[in-house]
Amino acid sequence: MEPAKLELSREEMRAFGYLVVDTLVEYFSGLRAEPAARKSSRQELESLLREPVPEKGSDPGELVRRLSETVFRSMMHLDHPRDFAFVPSPSNFVSVMADALASGYNAFVGSWFSGSGPAQIELVTIDWLRQLCGLPETAGGLFVSGGSMANLTALAAARHARLKFDFSHAAVYCSDQTHSSIERALRVLGFAPAQLRKLPSDEGFRLPLAALEREVAADRALGRLPFCVIANAGTTNTAAVDPLEELARFCAREKLWLHVDGAYGAAAVICDEGRRALAGLELADSVSLDPHKWLFQPFEIGCVLLRDASLLKNAFRIMPEYLRDVYRLPGEVNFCDYGIQLTRGFRALKLWLSLKVFGLGAFREAVARGLELARVAEARLREAGCWEIVTPAQMGIVSFRYFEPGRSEEELDAATERAAAGITASGFAALTTTTLRGRTTLRLCTINPRTTEEDIRETVARLAKYAREGGGERTGDGNPR
Ligand SMILES: Cc1ncc(COP(=O)(O)O)c(C=O)c1O
């Protein structure tokens, strides 16, 4: 070891590298038997991990072992087959190794000059997603950290294309089911809160076209400038898909930008059933789609696509003198021109490598399996007789709430919450609640292709028990009772 050069010897690199790989292989192959989630108290983690800046070094292998026993045990495993909370991230080992390669080669994919090979892989992979979404050849985009950045990037480009620098009278429209990252993106971009019109969703939690038409007309009558509609291709709460085709027709008529937030759901377009559910996605001006959700990638990888990719360049390109060598040859693609980051890593590699290794057919089956598992979950919930289905299985999500005759809504809220808290604390499965129509509601998001029907059956059985009895403590070894 040459600490002053921050170097390990060849043998030390190998030994450390193998230890890391072995640790990950054990994690991947043993995950099903581990708790789906484990949250430690702040106090416990402070006592385990608080320490002064280390002046002297330590053995890297020892440190990895310590991390495995503390840090990596104290987390929700979003790739666990019984993690149904929020939006799971059922990643895959090939992509994890791709991340190691991207990081190991320390690829810089901000400019062609510094990373032509990696930039070409990003171009190709982005183009695959463009084709899968049915967007025209003029479309393009880039990989970003996730859905929040994808929405921000798309809205920044939309604002620049349609409003330039004066947007004080502009109005943006979405349903009340729209992800908070849209509101945050508009805040970051300098829109006042009142410029976002959040319309009440319909009985299927979709953006109602008639209400949108009325709102836009009312705004125009008041001299305001309707500018952009945000449509959902799979809301976070219930996976509702807004009426994309109708919205696209309306936006074309009214000259409004249509942004489709498909961070969660747009990936379903790769299978037949998903493509039918998402008809109209191909008409969007911009789309967000997160490979770290339903394309089985580890964090962080989101994607933003614009129908006219040159609009990203118009919005973001600035050519400072210290990058003069970068801008010599036309035809070279500098991804720093298409988004917010100059220095950006090689996110595309993991999606490219896993698609190449497994093939799109495997991804298609994996997505279709998630759609099917939500239907299995709905059937088991109906059979159990103690659940009200709030929204039936659609796009990999079913939402439901505890039901028992003679109980008040408040008591049912409390039982629903007990079910989620109990099963998650037990470690057997992880579920989270949300609020729908003012009432506490549970969701199962079933997009992990490694989830079995038995996982679903047992989860539903245990949920009923926790709803009635509470509990969910772990045994001393951290395993569920
Ligand atoms: C519909 C939707 N949009 C945006 C986001 C934000 O994505 P991220 O957390 O990757 O920033 C999410 C996250 O779950 C989402 O479900």
Side-chain angles (χ1 to χ4, degrees):
M1 195 179 322
E2 288 222 52
K5 292 187 185 166
L6 307 183
E7 260 182 4
L8 303 181
S9 69
R10 271 170 163 259
E11 293 66 38
E12 286 166 331
M13 282 196 278
R14 276 219 171 82
F16 182 49
Y18 290 153
L19 174 76
V20 170
V21 168
D22 285 344
T23 304
L24 289 174
V25 170
E26 288 310 306
Y27 172 72
F28 267 75
S29 36
L31 185 55
R32 165 173 288 286
E34 292 294 316
R38 197 193 265 122
K39 184 156 68 96
S40 304
S41 71
R42 175 75 196 270
Q43 208 180 14
E44 194 184 333
L45 290 173
E46 277 287 329
S47 72
L48 283 169
L49 296 167
R50 174 71 59 191
E51 58 189 350
V53 184
E55 182 58 36
K56 292 228 161 62
S58 326
D59 178 64
E62 267 315 305
L63 290 169
V64 169
R65 272 185 280 276
R66 187 171 154 209
L67 288 168
S68 306
E69 283 157 19
T70 54
V71 173
F72 296 133
R73 275 169 74 90
S74 300
M75 57 184 274
M76 185 177 272
H77 296 287
L78 283 88
D79 39 9
H80 192 288
R82 290 184 302 277
D83 179 79
F84 305 108
F86 308 115
V87 175
S89 173
S91 98
N92 76 88
F93 192 74
V94 170
S95 293
V96 171
M97 293 297 103
D99 265 352
L101 284 169
S103 175
Y105 280 93
N106 206 14
F108 178 103
V109 202
S111 71
W112 193 268
F113 187 87
S114 305
S116 50
Q120 181 63 29
I121 291 286
E122 181 154 352
L123 278 176
V124 167
T125 316
I126 284 284
D127 201 55
W128 288 347
L129 293 183
R130 171 195 73 75
Q131 291 173 38
L132 291 167
C133 288
L135 289 162
E137 280 182 17
T138 52
L142 74 169
F143 290 113
V144 292
S145 57
S148 303
M149 279 302 287
N151 285 335
L152 175 63
T153 307
L155 290 175
R159 184 189 65 175
H160 193 82
R162 296 290 170 90
L163 304 167
K164 288 283 182 301
F165 298 102
D166 179 12
F167 49 93
S168 54
H169 296 293
V172 179
Y173 306 81
C174 66
S175 84
D176 57 11
Q177 295 298 302
T178 302
H179 193 268
S180 56
S181 57
I182 292 290
E183 190 172 333
R184 182 160 44 220
L186 291 170
R187 196 190 290 176
V188 169
L189 291 171
F191 287 84
Q195 290 180 270
L196 177 61
R197 316 270 188 270
K198 265 193 220 169
L199 307 180
S201 49
D202 67 13
E203 70 296 338
F205 297 99
R206 292 173 301 249
L207 176 61
L209 183 64
L212 175 67
E213 286 172 340
R214 278 196 300 278
E215 195 78 9
V216 168
D219 275 336
R220 288 208 197 283
L222 288 169
R224 299 197 186 112
L225 188 57
F227 137 66
C228 174
V229 173
I230 316 287
N232 290 297
T235 60
T236 319
N237 273 336
T238 65
V241 179
D242 290 333
L244 302 179
E245 282 175 318
E246 288 93 325
L247 290 171
R249 272 198 293 277
F250 172 72
C251 287
R253 217 166 46 236
E254 294 282 332
K255 301 206 168 19
L256 300 175
W257 184 282
L258 178 63
H259 173 64
V260 176
D261 182 359
Y264 167 65
V269 79
I270 70 173
C271 73
D272 291 344
E273 185 186 337
R275 193 172 329 110
R276 283 193 297 275
L278 294 167
L281 179 68
E282 70 286 356
L283 303 171
D285 291 299
S286 52
V287 174
S288 299
L289 182 164
D290 275 359
H292 69 198
K293 294 186 170 71
W294 212 348
L295 285 179
F296 315 108
Q297 302 303 307
F299 302 126
E300 300 176 348
I301 178 168
C303 168
V304 53
L305 295 170
L306 262 81
R307 175 169 218 82
D308 176 355
S310 69
L311 298 180
L312 281 170
K313 218 168 174 174
N314 294 350
F316 291 106
R317 180 143 110 154
I318 294 173
M319 296 190 285
E321 69 288 357
Y322 40 81
L323 293 183
R324 61 197 293 270
D325 297 342
V326 161
Y327 292 105
R328 291 252 153 89
L329 291 175
E332 295 185 345
V333 176
N334 299 304
F335 277 104
C336 65
D337 292 345
Y338 292 80
I340 294 166
Q341 286 180 273
L342 169 56
T343 299
R344 52 196 298 283
F346 194 6
R347 291 192 173 97
L349 183 63
K350 51 187 159 189
L351 183 56
W352 182 88
L353 198 68
S354 51
L355 275 167
K356 290 288 286 178
V357 168
F358 296 115
L360 179 63
F363 278 68
R364 187 180 295 120
E365 270 180 46
V367 168
R369 169 97 183 131
L371 294 166
E372 180 54 26
L373 282 170
R375 282 190 284 271
V376 169
E378 182 188 336
R380 296 292 87 80
L381 288 160
R382 287 192 191 277
E383 271 164 28
C386 58
W387 302 102
E388 172 204 349
I389 301 297
V390 179
T391 53
Q394 62 176 342
M395 298 275 290
I397 295 180
V398 55
S399 71
F400 52 102
R401 146 180 182 78
Y402 187 66
F403 173 74
E404 200 181 312
R407 298 281 177 195
S408 69
E409 292 293 351
E410 289 68 29
E411 285 172 322
L412 297 175
D413 279 349
T416 304
E417 204 154 317
R418 271 199 305 275
I423 202 161
T424 307
S426 81
F428 181 76
L431 274 87
T432 40
T433 60
T434 186
T435 306
L436 289 172
R437 300 193 187 102
R439 304 264 51 121
T440 304
T441 307
L442 266 162
R443 308 157 61 257
L444 277 162
C445 184
T446 59
I447 61 174
N448 190 331
R450 297 177 286 269
T451 302
T452 63
E453 296 194 13
E454 176 58 20
D455 286 327
I456 302 263
R457 199 192 59 73
E458 186 59 28
T459 298
V460 169
R462 291 186 189 212
L463 279 172
K465 177 176 150 310
Y466 289 120
R468 293 188 188 109
E469 300 164 18
E473 305 81 18
R474 282 207 203 91
T475 53
D477 62 3
N479 289 321
R481 267 186 224 283

